[in-house]
Amino acid sequence: MISKEELEYLAQISKINLNEIESRKFPKQLDKTIEYIDILEELASDDSVILDLQEMKIEELRDDVVRMSGGKQISKNITEDGFLRGPKMK
Amino acid sequence: MIGLEIHAQITALNSKLFCSCRGNYRELGPNTNICEICCGLPGSLPVINQKAIEYSAMTSLALGCKVPDKIMFYRKNYFYPDLPKNFQITQYNVYGYSSIGVDGIYELDDAKQIRISRIQLEEDPGRIAYSEGSMNVRNSVLLDYNRAGVALIEIVTEPDFTSPKEVRQFLNKLSLTLEYIGVCDTLLEGSVRCDVNVSMEGGNKVEIKNINSFREVEKAINYEITRQSSLYSRNLKIELETRHWDDRKKITFKSRSKEEEHDYRYFPEPDIPIIVLGNDFVSNLKKRMPELPNQRFECFVSKYKLSEHTSNILINDKKLADFFEATLKVHFSPTEIANFLITDFKSLIEDDSESTDYLKNLKVKPEHIAELVKLIEGNKISRITAKDILVKIFESGMLPSEVMNNTNSYKIADEKTLMDAVQSVFDKEKSAVEDAKTNSEAINFLLGKVMKFTNGRADPKIAMRIINNKLHNPDK
Amino acid sequence: MSNLHDLLAYEVVGGINGGLFSAEEYVNSILKRIEDVESKLHSFITLDSEGALSAAKKIDRKIKEKEDTGELAGITVGIKDNISTKNIRTTCASKILEDYVPSYDATVIKHLKKNGAIILGKLNLDEFGMGSTTEYSRYQPTHNPWNLDYVPGGSSGGSGAAVAARECTVSLGSDTGGSIRCPASFCSVVGLKPTYGRVSRYGLISYANSLEQIGPICRSVRDLVMMVNIISGKDEMDNTSIPSSPITLNNKLGKLNVAIIKELITGSDHEVSRTIYSASEKFKEIGCTCDEISIKNLHYALPSYYTLASAEASSNLARYDNIRYGFDLPVEEYKWDTYFSKVRENFGEEVKRRILIGSYVLSSGYYSKYYLKARRLRSLLRLELLTLFKKYDLLIGPTMPIPPFKFGEKIDDPIKMYLVDINTVIANLAGIPAISLPVGFSNGLPIGLQIMAAPFEEQKLIDASYDLENSINIQRKTNAI
């Protein structure tokens, strides 16, 4: 059962505001989804190691060479000096 | 009990950890050293830098850690304006596969051992700068992502330190080690950061963040210990909290920081496969690794037969030690050269030692020192003269021989000239001459006068002989 | 030639190179077709007619100068709007990226351009790839060209519909849990999810990075092979990409060992299973064996998929804070964390749900309970399938358990919607290649056959599909538009 506080906490750490309709609908919907994935409990517990991951040799990795990118990556909200303007901290 | 968490940038790298932007972002216009990867643009993927793994592995080895044969990356999820993806790619040991180094030991001078919990490779966030105006009036901040994605090595110790002095010593040795490996130039602005946790017997652990140089660390710890002791003595609780170091006011203050929600929801980074280092990785790395401070120390003492004291002075100044060995290549006379370097030479260049480039732009080169020492050993000049010549070389870059020809500095060994000099002194210092017949100190006084008379060029041994002869045979 | 837009890709390339028509003529025919049907379908979010015509003219010039034009010269490609296209707005069907114009091309786009393909525009999807019908698109849903009241499938619904309706020659989609195969099945076209790592993900806007691949949707297997070979390849910009060999078309289908996955049939609509069985008869006719097998861990597959996909999504979508790119909302009035939350209010419902579930399963109390178990299941499933592939060359079943359904039928119940993916998530969890091939209809609504093979065995998939395509006689063109 996902409580109102838990939902608020999740919304807080995910930095998402829920509108009124969503605040009403979501607890039940999320509950159903969690109930649905609860079936995974039946699987044996062996949570020390994650299996079956892709591997790559160190020799295949990128060389330490500088390549300056030409494009304009950020065009939004730029000041005269080239800083990006963001919302205040406090 | 004190523990450290140090972040050192791998300043030796050309590019960033996950992209090919420049690793040294200093002095570049804001947001000019960026690409779609380090800005976290939609669809971008991290491409890891091979050299970064090598450097961080070397650091692990240098700190006595085990390097695993496979490493993995994790995401640390939290929101913050300086974090382009709102997660940091880092390493994490809780679920098995480990970071680039674990379980190391580092020994301090008094044989005290500090346990190194882990060493991990991760990316630096960007920077938040504040726009003009007082902090209260500001309604926006300025963001610069030039630094975002630069490679960091995080070194975490167990809380094994028991005094700020130990911490200072550790950090000095660490800086030196990092310099020796070539991984991090700790003098570069912003290249190292240190968080400290301090707890008293039975008390809560207080974390101190925002200490931006190794030098400030000792001060911060001292302040915090005082603060905690004071609370303790008044039976007040020491809160489990995070505090910030203010390096202007020199205090720690409680911070309402981003660290409040601590659930980072770590999970393995899907865009980077497990990296297999291979069986020979560590042994190959050890072969290629630059000499570490204590290894060099051993070498200086056993191979060059320098005293421990002299060796220590050289080792603790890597550039000086390098200069020393470069000079040896020209003229192999370790003891003489070492002694000359740590006295006369060192005092001359002392003022410049804080700059990163010191010794590079010096006009004095190993060849100069080598020649100078050769002349001293060949008795061609005296020690005092050598010092004067050094000053001239320092200013002009001329070879010793050139300087000497210009200033007529060769040692006077010619008996006749010396006898005349001694005679002149004897004529002037009649009372000293009388004293000298019974008092050996007065003899030294006379010798000093002879040296002065000859502008330091007299060969002291010969001059002394002549003085003694004359004292006992006044008419000759 | 009035019906140039009906031509298949290889016919287009042949026609342009052979001087039967110019690239410009062809593109004009396509643009006219779009004009005629787009208002009914809503496949496109952004159409770049100017860019397409200009590219076409370049090709015509090159042909005149006898210069090399590339293997895909003149074909028009629709690109799912979660793939980064330089200077062409890329929205992921979200309001959060309303004004986002990428400064770089995805690697697959670079491959296409290098080979003379023409990028036509950006195709509709469920927001950020989360959904099976395009009903979660924040622009508007796309309609199924076979019956406009019905969903086209998703999340690459625009890619499926546009190809089926001949609004473009071929399209690219992405498949995280079935998002290429579902619309391919529902729109009666061919769609391939390649082996994980075959195609570079650089430029694919991540939803669940360990599960997804870019793949082609086409009207014929031959077109599909052309596209797959061009977009495949190890990419230094994608550390998870793996080198692979090109696929050829003229392999004669040998006597393969085929198996039908029992659970997928029993879970299906009656019409669907009937159609699949008759398709499987074709295999037997040419001498393949066709057994029925069971997959032990199947009922954990979908819960495992949703756990992992949501977890990765919650992290991949964290970057959308409107600071560096996004939409218009001034920063001055907010403190940073309130700004972030306010911005992200702009996500659609389904995206929000998945982010919240993702944060939930990754949070410290629940990580072992859900995420680690899902990872473990994934490995077990992959192991089970690899073992099966030692005995069988191909595993088959229906792509979708039901034929296409009407708009609004499943939108109120997320679980009902998730269950639609039950057949397709297996291939994503295991990283194996899977294709959907049109094999019949149920009341005029398309049914697709799904064929899966071992990692990097796309050749076997193609061999079987090419053979089936030639032997199955079904309606290839819709009458609805």
Side-chain angles (χ1 to χ4, degrees):
Chain A
M1 267 289 135
I2 197 166
S3 68
K4 187 162 174 280
E5 287 78 32
E6 258 191 302
L7 182 60
E8 266 172 31
Y9 172 71
L10 286 176
Q12 219 276 314
I13 61 171
S14 313
K15 294 277 178 281
I16 288 186
N17 281 349
L18 300 179
N19 61 41
E20 241 190 78
I21 303 175
E22 286 159 351
S23 304
R24 258 189 300 116
K25 279 207 302 199
F26 276 18
K28 194 148 175 237
Q29 286 178 330
L30 295 183
D31 248 354
K32 276 182 95 179
T33 306
I34 294 171
E35 228 179 272
Y36 182 67
I37 63 178
D38 265 340
I39 194 178
L40 295 173
E41 284 243 71
E42 292 173 18
L43 291 169
S45 229
D46 185 5
D47 49 21
S48 56
V49 171
I50 296 182
L51 312 165
D52 191 37
L53 288 155
Q54 209 176 346
E55 288 186 353
M56 194 171 176
K57 296 205 187 88
I58 187 176
E59 295 85 33
E60 303 172 56
L61 301 180
R62 170 175 65 94
D63 288 332
D64 184 29
V65 173
V66 172
R67 247 195 335 236
M68 293 309 283
S69 133
K72 281 190 77 186
Q73 275 75 24
I74 300 181
S75 45
K76 191 180 200 274
N77 252 341
I78 293 275
T79 67
E80 255 173 36
D81 305 319
F83 284 101
L84 177 63
R85 199 163 331 126
K88 63 186 175 217
M89 299 306 293
K90 297 207 205 297
Chain B
M1 297 202 303
I2 306 167
L4 300 177
E5 193 177 296
I6 297 151
H7 289 93
Q9 290 178 339
I10 308 183
T11 58
L13 290 175
N14 297 321
S15 59
K16 292 184 178 179
L17 182 54
F18 295 117
C19 69
S20 306
C21 290
R22 199 165 296 161
N24 187 1
Y25 53 90
R26 293 165 184 83
E27 285 159 46
L28 294 172
N31 293 310
T32 54
N33 187 38
I34 57 175
C35 71
E36 57 264 10
I37 300 173
C38 54
C39 277
L41 253 53
S44 62
L45 298 173
V47 184
I48 191 167
N49 181 333
Q50 183 177 332
K51 266 249 147 2
I53 298 181
E54 288 180 12
Y55 277 123
S56 52
M58 279 199 248
T59 309
S60 299
L61 292 174
L63 293 176
C65 295
K66 300 198 232 338
V67 173
D69 37 45
K70 293 182 187 179
I71 61 169
M72 208 162 120
F73 287 86
Y74 272 75
R75 288 194 186 175
K76 178 180 184 182
N77 296 288
Y78 65 97
F79 289 83
Y80 213 59
D82 64 3
L83 210 54
K85 303 184 288 288
N86 287 320
F87 62 82
Q88 181 199 35
I89 302 179
T90 176
Q91 298 189 300
Y92 192 60
N93 289 332
V94 172
Y95 291 105
Y97 283 113
S98 73
S99 53
I100 191 74
V102 281
D103 296 340
I105 299 263
Y106 201 65
E107 219 177 78
L108 299 178
D109 286 337
D110 57 0
K112 166 139 188 198
Q113 294 194 328
I114 304 292
R115 291 170 296 162
I116 309 287
S117 163
R118 65 179 188 273
I119 298 195
Q120 54 195 57
L121 185 54
E122 58 187 39
E123 50 177 353
D124 219 347
R127 275 193 327 122
I128 302 174
Y130 293 91
S131 40
E132 320 266 82
S134 79
M135 248 181 115
N136 294 330
V137 181
R138 271 192 288 244
N139 60 4
S140 67
V141 294
L142 301 174
L143 299 167
D144 175 15
Y145 295 107
N146 282 350
R147 188 184 71 180
V150 165
L152 284 180
I153 297 181
E154 180 178 309
I155 302 168
V156 182
T157 75
E158 300 288 357
D160 290 344
F161 297 97
T162 49
S163 76
K165 239 172 117 196
E166 278 179 359
V167 170
R168 186 77 203 276
Q169 201 198 113
F170 175 82
L171 293 176
N172 285 336
K173 285 175 86 86
L174 180 67
S175 289
L176 197 64
T177 303
L178 293 176
E179 195 188 347
Y180 268 70
I181 306 174
V183 150
C184 176
D185 181 351
T186 57
L187 292 174
L188 271 182
E189 180 258 319
S191 63
V192 281
R193 272 154 266 163
C194 191
D195 295 340
V196 186
N197 49 69
V198 181
S199 60
M200 294 192 60
E201 191 73 54
N204 274 320
K205 194 167 79 163
V206 175
E207 208 189 342
I208 309 171
K209 292 179 106 61
N210 199 45
I211 307 173
N212 285 319
S213 76
F214 281 175
R215 262 176 306 187
E216 292 290 299
V217 174
E218 203 180 355
K219 296 183 194 152
I221 300 176
N222 277 321
Y223 176 86
E224 184 59 21
I225 290 179
T226 310
R227 187 189 77 87
Q228 288 191 15
S229 305
S230 146
L231 287 174
Y232 186 76
S233 65
R234 289 182 281 152
N235 266 324
L236 293 171
K237 184 170 183 221
I238 298 168
E239 299 289 335
L240 175 70
E241 63 184 2
T242 302
R243 299 177 71 84
H244 256 56
W245 173 248
D246 184 327
D247 63 9
R248 271 181 304 118
K249 294 192 194 147
K250 305 291 183 207
I251 58 161
T252 65
F253 62 93
K254 184 177 162 82
S255 69
R256 261 180 299 128
S257 72
K258 68 188 168 185
E259 309 297 322
E260 282 198 53
E261 305 112 27
H262 287 279
D263 196 345
Y264 293 118
R265 289 155 284 140
Y266 287 96
F267 71 100
E269 170 57 73
D271 291 329
I272 303 177
I274 293 181
I275 297 174
V276 179
L277 301 177
N279 295 327
D280 302 322
F281 178 73
V282 169
S283 49
N284 284 336
L285 208 60
K286 280 191 178 153
K287 282 189 212 142
R288 287 189 294 134
M289 235 165 101
E291 210 177 13
L292 294 176
N294 54 333
Q295 293 168 325
R296 209 177 199 184
F297 179 82
E298 284 307 316
C299 172
F300 282 13
V301 166
S302 54
K303 188 166 157 204
Y304 301 145
K305 308 274 189 260
L306 298 180
S307 73
E308 285 195 4
H309 170 78
T310 305
S311 301
N312 255 323
I313 298 179
L314 286 171
I315 297 299
N316 278 315
D317 186 339
K318 179 171 190 283
K319 296 183 175 77
L320 190 61
D322 292 341
F323 194 95
F324 165 66
E325 290 202 287
T327 311
L328 282 188
K329 287 207 176 79
V330 183
H331 173 57
F332 192 80
S333 177
T335 313
E336 274 299 327
I337 294 177
N339 285 333
F340 193 77
L341 285 177
I342 67 176
T343 53
D344 301 319
F345 182 77
K346 199 162 195 284
S347 58
L348 253 183
I349 54 175
E350 207 81 88
D351 336 295
D352 268 346
S353 60
E354 288 305 281
S355 108
T356 307
D357 278 341
Y358 107 99
L359 284 191
K360 208 178 357 170
N361 297 323
L362 217 52
K363 292 204 171 91
V364 186
K365 301 278 175 242
E367 299 76 47
H368 296 131
I369 303 296
E371 200 185 307
L372 215 48
V373 168
K374 248 195 254 176
L375 289 169
I376 297 175
E377 284 171 341
N379 243 345
K380 295 279 179 17
I381 55 173
S382 68
R383 255 298 179 63
I384 303 172
T385 314
K387 187 165 182 189
D388 291 336
I389 297 177
L390 183 63
V391 173
K392 297 229 166 47
I393 300 173
F394 191 76
E395 289 161 10
S396 66
M398 284 196 286
L399 283 172
S401 40
E402 292 173 314
V403 173
M404 283 164 59
N405 283 335
N406 289 347
T407 60
N408 202 12
S409 315
Y410 281 94
K411 235 190 214 179
I412 303 174
D414 166 44
E415 294 254 358
K416 171 119 198 347
T417 323
L418 283 178
M419 292 225 312
D420 288 342
V422 172
Q423 184 63 61
S424 307
V425 169
F426 269 45
D427 290 341
K428 257 213 235 138
E429 307 285 346
K430 290 206 195 312
S431 53
V433 172
E434 278 306 312
D435 280 346
K437 289 181 179 156
T438 49
N439 185 356
S440 60
E441 269 191 40
I443 300 181
N444 285 328
F445 174 79
L446 289 172
L447 178 64
K449 286 290 175 184
V450 171
M451 297 303 289
K452 198 162 171 212
F453 187 85
T454 60
N455 285 323
R457 291 166 57 204
D459 183 330
K461 284 210 193 79
I462 303 177
M464 189 58 121
R465 188 173 34 88
I466 296 175
I467 293 172
N468 275 321
N469 275 344
K470 222 173 159 54
L471 282 175
H472 297 113
N473 301 299
D475 302 319
K476 284 251 183 76
Chain C
M1 285 212 186
S2 53
N3 285 340
L4 285 180
H5 58 260
D6 280 334
L7 293 175
L8 296 171
Y10 69 91
E11 292 170 331
V12 172
V13 178
I16 292 176
N17 275 320
L20 296 175
F21 48 87
S22 68
E24 194 180 343
E25 271 181 82
Y26 177 65
V27 171
N28 276 321
S29 163
I30 290 281
L31 291 176
K32 175 82 176 46
R33 174 67 176 169
I34 294 175
E35 236 181 82
D36 290 342
V37 300
E38 180 55 13
S39 54
K40 301 191 188 109
L41 293 176
H42 306 293
S43 314
F44 283 87
I45 295 180
T46 304
L47 180 63
D48 184 19
S49 2
E50 239 182 78
L53 279 170
S54 144
K57 289 187 184 136
K58 255 204 202 121
I59 290 173
D60 288 332
R61 232 190 344 259
K62 276 186 161 173
I63 291 188
K64 223 163 140 203
E65 314 278 312
K66 305 244 197 292
E67 280 172 37
D68 181 32
T69 46
E71 279 177 53
L72 302 177
I75 71 168
T76 55
V77 190
I79 308 290
K80 184 176 183 181
D81 204 15
N82 63 353
I83 297 173
S84 194
T85 42
K86 187 170 178 175
N87 297 331
I88 303 178
R89 187 175 76 135
T90 299
T91 66
C92 295
S94 178
K95 291 262 171 234
I96 271 213
L97 288 179
E98 205 166 52
D99 299 329
Y100 173 58
V101 180
S103 55
Y104 75 102
D105 269 333
T107 298
V108 294
I109 302 293
K110 291 197 185 117
H111 286 319
L112 289 178
K113 283 181 177 173
K114 204 165 74 167
N115 283 279
I118 297 173
I119 307 298
L120 190 57
K122 307 307 290 295
L123 295 169
N124 199 20
L125 61 152
D126 286 287
E127 189 181 6
F128 282 106
M130 301 181 198
S132 311
T133 62
T134 71
E135 289 172 292
Y136 291 132
S137 166
R138 299 274 277 157
Y139 296 95
Q140 48 187 310
T142 299
H143 293 250
N144 194 319
W146 294 87
N147 187 327
L148 297 172
D149 294 331
Y150 286 74
V151 302
S155 60
S156 316
S159 305
V163 169
R166 291 112 210 278
E167 284 183 296
C168 54
T169 329
V170 296
S171 71
L172 282 187
S174 72
D175 190 313
T176 313
S179 296
I180 285 176
R181 293 160 285 156
C182 168
S185 177
F186 277 9
C187 294
S188 202
V189 284
V190 196
L192 172 72
K193 182 203 85 69
T195 308
Y196 185 82
R198 175 182 270 267
V199 178
S200 167
R201 285 184 299 111
Y202 188 71
L204 171 63
I205 296 176
S206 293
Y207 148 27
N209 14 12
S210 75
L211 295 161
E212 56 203 9
Q213 277 288 278
I214 296 176
I217 296 179
C218 308
R219 275 177 278 129
S220 79
V221 173
R222 186 168 173 173
D223 288 357
L224 193 86
V225 170
M226 276 171 79
M227 288 292 285
V228 170
N229 286 333
I230 295 293
I231 62 174
S232 298
K234 178 156 169 72
D235 182 12
E236 59 176 15
M237 301 300 276
D238 175 1
N239 278 155
T240 61
S241 66
I242 300 169
S244 56
S245 328
I247 304 169
T248 56
L249 198 52
N250 293 313
N251 266 321
K252 184 129 200 313
L253 186 64
K255 301 214 188 309
L256 298 174
N257 293 322
V258 180
I260 295 188
I261 302 172
K262 217 188 309 200
E263 287 85 2
L264 300 188
I265 293 283
T266 51
S268 292
D269 175 279
H270 178 70
E271 271 301 300
V272 170
S273 44
R274 198 185 56 77
T275 313
I276 298 303
Y277 270 124
S278 64
S280 73
E281 290 300 310
K282 297 276 174 195
F283 281 112
K284 292 193 189 145
E285 277 169 28
I286 51 177
C288 297
T289 55
C290 197
D291 293 347
E292 258 190 38
I293 54 110
S294 198
I295 293 185
K296 199 173 63 157
N297 288 305
L298 201 58
H299 59 298
Y300 297 117
L302 200 60
S304 175
Y305 168 79
Y306 272 103
T307 303
L308 296 174
S310 305
E312 291 178 17
S314 72
S315 178
N316 288 324
L317 268 62
R319 68 192 66 198
Y320 301 110
D321 55 23
N322 208 39
I323 303 276
R324 293 161 294 284
Y325 43 81
F327 63 98
D328 188 25
L329 181 70
V331 298
E332 274 76 19
E333 273 127 76
Y334 301 87
K335 187 169 161 283
W336 76 271
D337 48 0
T338 7
Y339 185 79
F340 281 20
S341 301
K342 178 88 188 124
V343 160
R344 292 157 67 76
E345 194 180 316
N346 219 354
F347 280 129
E349 258 182 43
E350 182 60 23
V351 170
K352 284 187 188 169
R353 276 193 289 261
R354 298 212 194 175
I355 292 177
L356 293 175
I357 293 287
S359 299
Y360 182 80
V361 302
L362 287 176
S363 57
S364 55
Y366 299 113
Y367 184 79
S368 313
K369 184 172 175 191
Y370 298 110
Y371 183 85
L372 282 183
K373 294 243 165 117
R375 286 301 288 253
R376 186 175 164 73
L377 182 282
R378 193 176 175 176
S379 308
L380 293 173
L381 185 64
R382 184 178 158 98
L383 215 62
E384 191 179 352
L385 287 168
L386 291 180
T387 309
L388 281 169
F389 281 124
K390 289 205 179 103
K391 188 169 176 205
Y392 298 102
D393 298 293
L394 303 172
L395 295 178
I396 67 173
T399 306
M400 305 300 290
I402 49 176
F405 44 91
K406 280 192 169 161
F407 288 103
E409 254 183 56
K410 300 197 188 282
I411 196 119
D412 287 324
D413 186 350
I415 299 286
K416 237 178 164 181
M417 189 68 94
Y418 297 161
L419 289 170
V420 152
D421 285 340
I422 206 157
N423 298 1
T424 44
V425 297
I426 305 165
N428 302 83
L429 286 169
I432 59 178
I435 197 171
S436 177
L437 200 61
V439 290
F441 292 85
S442 162
N443 292 330
L445 297 165
I447 296 174
L449 171 74
Q450 180 181 233
I451 313 176
M452 298 188 281
F456 294 101
E457 295 282 1
E458 278 87 343
Q459 187 64 61
K460 286 188 185 156
L461 289 183
I462 294 299
D463 292 344
S465 305
Y466 195 47
D467 201 274
L468 266 174
E469 183 184 69
N470 288 329
S471 51
I472 286 182
N473 214 351
I474 53 167
Q475 187 178 342
R476 297 286 175 188
K477 196 173 160 180
T478 173
N479 299 321
I481 43 164

